[in-house]
């Protein structure tokens, strides 16, 4: 994992990863109108976070487009507004979890389909074991999240986990790096897809608990999450280099 000689260099790195995360969300079809947001804590102003401009397509977002927002929801840097739901949810997650550098949420098809079941993912594949014992269910739905108190409830449900399933809504993942948070979202979305497919075909055969726990330590740690994002970053930068502008 990288180290930096200055806060400015670290900030640029974070913003490049964040812009790449949005492009990947666009590439994988996680867009749904104006819904969806990824945030990254600023390395110097730690109660501020970087976020996508409201209503700008994921596929268009560049480093220079990112918005810096403070703890009161005020725009500190950038020319666009931000999604009010992004502030309501992410501000409370960042406040509750000082260890969290980044948080990701989108209305992806399989994540929101799985969320309608009101249950946790089962350890039925190696990949989903990254979430074994490390994700939660927010077992409520009260409309679009525009209230800070609702954001606090989501943060409370998340607890110290890497992910939470928001019932009838979708997925939210967090990480100690942008890379990690984005990767957890991508692989969690695919894990929702895999379970939906498997349980439609027949009874599930979960991995035995002790093996699921072992696999979780192998594929669900911070370094594994960060590392799994690196090939995707290389692909999207080569395909869409303007994201770095």
């Amino acid at each position: 994992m990288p180290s930096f000689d200055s806060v400015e260099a670290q900030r640029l790195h974070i913003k490049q990863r964040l812009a790449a995360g949005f492009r990947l969300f666009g590439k994988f079809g996680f867009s749904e109108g104006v819904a969806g947001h990824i945030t990254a804590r600023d390395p110097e102003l730690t109660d501020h976070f970087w976020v996508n401009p409201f209503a700008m397509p994921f596929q268009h977002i560049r480093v220079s487009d990112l918005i810096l927002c403070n703890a009161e929801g005020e725009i500190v840097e950038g020319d666009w507004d931000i999604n009010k739901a992004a502030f309501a949810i992410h501000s409370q997650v960042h406040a509750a979890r000082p260890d969290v550098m980044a948080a990701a949420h989108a209305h992806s098809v399989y994540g929101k389909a799985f969320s309608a079941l009101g249950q946790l993912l089962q350890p039925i594949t190696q990949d989903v074991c990254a979430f074994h014992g490390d994700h939660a269910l927010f077992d409520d739905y009260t409309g679009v999240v525009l209230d800070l108190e609702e954001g606090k409830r989501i943060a409370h449900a998340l607890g110290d986990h890497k992910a939470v399933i928001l019932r009838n809504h979708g997925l939210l993942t967090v990480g100690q790096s942008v890379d990690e948070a984005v990767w957890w979202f991508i692989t969690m979305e695919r894990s929702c897809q895999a379970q939906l497919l498997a349980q439609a075909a027949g009874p599930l055969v979960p991995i035995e608990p002790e093996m699921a726990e072992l696999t979780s330590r192998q594929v669900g740690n911070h370094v594994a999450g960060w590392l799994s994002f690196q090939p995707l970053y290389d692909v999207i930068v080569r395909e869409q280099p303007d994201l770095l502008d």
Side-chain angles (χ1 to χ4, degrees), residues 2 9 34 49 56-57 59 63 66 80 83 92 112 117 132 152-154 165 168 175 190 196 201 225:
V34 300
F49 57 81
M56 181 179 288
Q59 294 92 329
V63 168
L66 296 170
W80 287 52
N83 188 318
Q92 301 311 302
K112 63 187 176 183
L117 301 177
H132 181 67
K152 288 178 182 177
R153 293 179 64 219
I154 289 172
I165 296 170
N168 305 111
R190 290 171 170 169
L196 290 167

Side-chain angles (χ1 to χ4, degrees), residues 123-126 128-130 132 206-219:
I124 59 170
T125 68
Q126 175 174 298
V128 77
C129 285
H132 181 67
I207 296 169
E208 294 172 351
E210 60 273 22
M211 287 298 100
E213 291 171 12
L214 171 63
T215 308
S216 177
R217 293 193 296 272
Q218 294 170 327
V219 303

